[in-house]
Amino acid sequence: MTRWWASRGRDGERLRRLGAVSDAALSGLQVEDMFAELLERTRELLGVDTATILLVDEAGRDLVATAAKGLEEEVRTGVRVPIGDGFAGRIAAQAHPVTIDHVDHDTVVNQILIDKHLRAMAGVPMMGPSGVIGVLHVGSLNPREFSQDDIELLRLVADRASLAAQARLSQLDRSAALALQRSLLPARPPAVDGLDVAARYIPGAQVGVGGDWYDLFRLPSGHVGVVIGDIAGRGLRAAVVMGRIRSALRAYALETNDPADVLTRLDRKMQLFELDTMATAIYAVIDPSHATVTMSAAGHLPPVLIQGTGRARILEICVDLPLGAFPDTSRRATTTDLPPGSTLLLYTDGLIERRDRPLPDGMRLLLEHAVAGRAEGLCSHLATHLLPQEGPSDDVAFLAIRRTDQH
Amino acid sequence: LTVTVSVSTGWQDGVGMVRLGGELDLAAGELVSRELKRAITAPGTRAVRVDLSGLRFIDSSGMSVLIKGRRTADETGVAYQVTGATGMVRHVLSLTGLLEHLCAGPPADSPR
């Protein structure tokens, strides 16, 4: 904004007109309509024939024509320009304005620009917080030399368009991630006779939805599978990966009742198909009589066992490396008794880790508030007493399973 | 998201020393990942030590950054060692089974 006003000189009037349009558009219009408005106004102000916005695709390899005036076929035909190639590709690669005074196969790769008989072009990069997110360019059917003022104006338009594009992305990302997370993590886990189950998922105040998840399912053998996990990362990507990993774990759970075996298979799948994804998790299998629980931990914080009397302790179980960390990690399982009336509590790091507090204090607090009684009551109690008033900065998931049968 | 990590890298006799300070969390992940990769893949690097003595906080995404570093080092044939974990950081790494693995010296034949 500072630059916007600071550069109001003899071009003040045209900048003001552009500013008015984009401010109104930013507040009300959809981003597509805003791009259209911005491009139309740019075309008028600069007296050019075409104006186009291309955005960098998800893979970060190509520019994709997203909005255009005077070159609508670029968008209609889905023009893609590899970053580094041609006119727009060069602007993106150099993150610097480029002007050309002739349009032919030496200067552009996009045939549409040549067919259109454009004579001169100017373009600027659209910058996001971590680099180029797109390119804005204009073209003239008449010979023309673009001035420094023209480039400055294009930069201002590009700044506005960048803000809108990012706002839309993060908004889409947030709402999609939340919807996905909600659909995958039912607020009320399925009822299993003899077990009282409750769970919580709370998105982080700063990071929004992350990759934390829990799961509970009854297996055909009568065993009950219980999962808590945390995929490194956040937003839509973490939520999507979480969905895949959750499904894969369920599929492997159908094949064996050994939790170490299930996590070994899941790890192998991740090494192959989820490159660069790391997750911590505990997979626990409660036997059909509910008398014991067998757990395999992958880099995850240890569970808590609360006895019917209210005494709580951290379970000392073997912990192996996180999923997706290293190929061929050997995994172990630990079996613990689950006495009638006792509760198994699984949680992610956000429940006890704080920047301003040593970890042992967090664990002590967790044990203090790990009260016996109904699972739902325990979850409410923990949410009230362990999470910061302003909400957790990281996302948090926890799951409580109390054994209610007496034999 | 506020980045509250500090990173500094120095070399001596082909050994890169990456010193981390502050908080290694989601916000810091990308920056530290890049720096570790740069240190590991720098020409002439034989080994990289990651010094955590200035680190006050680590979360699960921070752990994944340290593990990714180890994996890059293994793939590049560079020795990788994490040192100096104290307090909360040491506690978390030990509870999650990573202390032994990351603080071991040159890459062992088996991951554990």
Side-chain angles (χ1 to χ4, degrees):
Chain A
M1 277 309 277
T2 333
R3 212 172 95 202
W4 180 274
W5 295 113
S7 57
R8 278 187 73 179
R10 59 199 169 93
D11 286 329
E13 178 54 23
R14 61 180 193 174
L15 291 189
R16 197 192 56 75
R17 285 164 60 197
L18 186 64
V21 160
S22 53
D23 284 340
L26 265 178
S27 57
L29 294 179
Q30 295 288 320
V31 71
E32 287 80 6
D33 298 333
M34 179 201 167
F35 282 172
E37 282 288 333
L38 267 180
L39 292 178
E40 188 54 52
R41 200 47 71 104
T42 305
R43 205 159 63 145
E44 279 175 29
L45 290 171
L46 283 178
V48 289
D49 301 290
T50 71
T52 309
I53 287 174
L54 302 100
L55 294 180
V56 176
D57 70 356
E58 284 232 332
R61 280 195 287 269
D62 289 346
L63 288 161
V64 180
T66 305
K69 285 286 170 186
L71 269 178
E72 282 76 1
E73 52 269 51
E74 278 219 338
V75 178
R76 207 170 49 237
T77 59
V79 163
R80 296 180 85 89
V81 182
I83 290 175
D85 280 5
F87 173 63
R90 205 149 48 112
I91 297 169
Q94 299 170 354
H96 202 266
V98 173
T99 56
I100 50 177
D101 55 11
H102 62 285
V103 176
D104 56 27
H105 286 293
D106 291 337
T107 54
V108 305
V109 289
N110 179 4
Q111 187 63 34
I112 295 175
L113 302 176
I114 297 171
D115 293 347
K116 195 87 185 172
H117 302 297
L118 288 173
R119 300 290 293 273
M121 297 186 73
V124 296
M126 288 167 58
M127 304 303 294
S130 49
V132 175
I133 64 162
V135 165
L136 164 73
H137 68 60
V138 294
S140 166
L141 292 171
N142 302 309
R144 164 166 187 167
E145 207 166 300
F146 287 99
S147 68
Q148 199 49 46
D149 285 348
D150 295 337
I151 298 293
E152 273 314 302
L153 185 113
L154 281 178
R155 277 193 198 269
L156 292 170
V157 178
D159 284 351
R160 283 313 177 93
S162 301
L163 282 179
Q166 287 166 65
R168 182 185 70 153
L169 263 182
S170 68
Q171 196 185 1
L172 282 179
D173 199 272
R174 271 188 177 237
S175 43
L178 195 60
L180 186 61
Q181 193 87 6
R182 291 259 153 83
S183 76
L184 292 173
L185 303 184
R188 196 187 295 264
V192 177
D193 280 348
L195 297 178
D196 164 29
V197 182
R200 290 284 189 284
Y201 175 79
I202 299 132
Q206 283 170 38
V207 305
V209 167
D212 285 9
W213 93 100
Y214 57 78
D215 203 4
L216 184 135
F217 41 82
R218 202 166 169 272
L219 294 162
S221 58
H223 291 77
V224 177
V226 183
V227 189
I228 189 90
D230 176 357
I231 312 276
R234 65 162 162 155
L236 188 54
R237 189 186 170 274
V240 167
V241 172
M242 180 275 280
R244 282 200 296 264
I245 288 176
R246 172 181 173 274
S247 302
L249 194 152
R250 284 183 163 202
Y252 297 131
L254 283 172
E255 293 177 5
T256 163
N257 291 322
D258 173 5
D261 194 3
V262 169
L263 289 190
T264 300
R265 294 174 196 218
L266 182 60
D267 196 9
R268 200 185 313 150
K269 187 236 178 201
M270 287 175 63
Q271 304 280 350
L272 203 58
F273 301 115
E274 304 283 359
L275 276 176
D276 278 336
T277 295
M278 208 102 37
T280 70
I282 291 178
Y283 178 46
V285 176
I286 300 174
D287 79 294
S289 72
H290 301 166
T292 63
V293 55
T294 304
M295 290 168 278
S296 184
H300 202 88
L301 292 170
V304 169
L305 188 75
I306 309 159
Q307 290 172 339
T309 57
R311 251 201 58 184
R313 66 187 165 96
I314 306 267
L315 286 179
E316 284 189 15
I317 62 172
C318 298
V319 183
D320 300 304
L321 292 170
L323 302 166
F326 298 98
D328 307 320
T329 297
S330 66
R331 300 199 173 277
R332 299 161 293 176
T334 311
T335 301
T336 308
D337 286 340
L338 194 61
S342 63
T343 305
L344 180 69
L345 173 69
L346 301 162
Y347 55 94
T348 58
D349 58 353
L351 187 63
I352 60 167
E353 288 185 11
R354 291 284 176 284
R355 279 139 225 273
D356 53 1
R357 181 177 76 199
L359 190 69
D361 292 1
M363 294 213 134
R364 203 154 39 231
L365 209 58
L366 174 62
L367 290 179
E368 265 170 36
H369 288 284
V371 292
R374 290 188 44 101
E376 183 55 39
L378 170 63
C379 286
S380 298
H381 190 81
L382 292 174
T384 310
H385 291 93
L386 269 96
L387 300 177
Q389 292 283 306
E390 68 278 12
S393 61
D394 197 2
D395 61 339
V396 177
F398 48 97
L399 175 66
I401 304 116
R402 185 170 63 117
R403 188 176 165 205
T404 53
D405 48 6
Q406 293 304 315
H407 30 265
Chain B
L1 282 183
T2 329
V3 179
T4 44
V5 77
S6 67
V7 198
S8 68
T9 308
W11 269 272
Q12 195 171 8
D13 302 329
V15 179
M17 173 70 95
V18 182
R19 287 192 178 81
L20 299 183
E23 300 171 348
L24 183 51
D25 55 9
L26 193 58
E30 207 174 310
L31 174 77
V32 175
S33 254
R34 243 191 340 252
E35 190 58 24
L36 285 179
K37 187 166 184 183
R38 197 176 70 90
I40 292 163
T41 56
T45 300
R46 289 185 293 113
V48 165
R49 283 211 191 101
V50 189
D51 178 9
L52 305 186
S53 52
L55 206 61
R56 290 191 316 271
F57 178 85
I58 190 166
D59 67 1
S60 53
S61 35
M63 297 187 327
S64 82
V65 168
L66 296 180
I67 295 169
K68 251 180 227 174
R70 167 72 195 262
R71 198 162 57 186
T72 312
D74 286 358
E75 285 163 7
T76 320
V78 164
Y80 181 86
Q81 193 180 12
V82 173
T83 62
T86 58
M88 182 272 181
V89 176
R90 185 174 188 89
H91 206 118
V92 170
L93 291 181
S94 117
L95 274 176
T96 53
L98 283 170
L99 192 65
E100 186 190 341
H101 183 78
L102 290 172
C103 298
D109 291 337
S110 75
R112 180 159 264 283

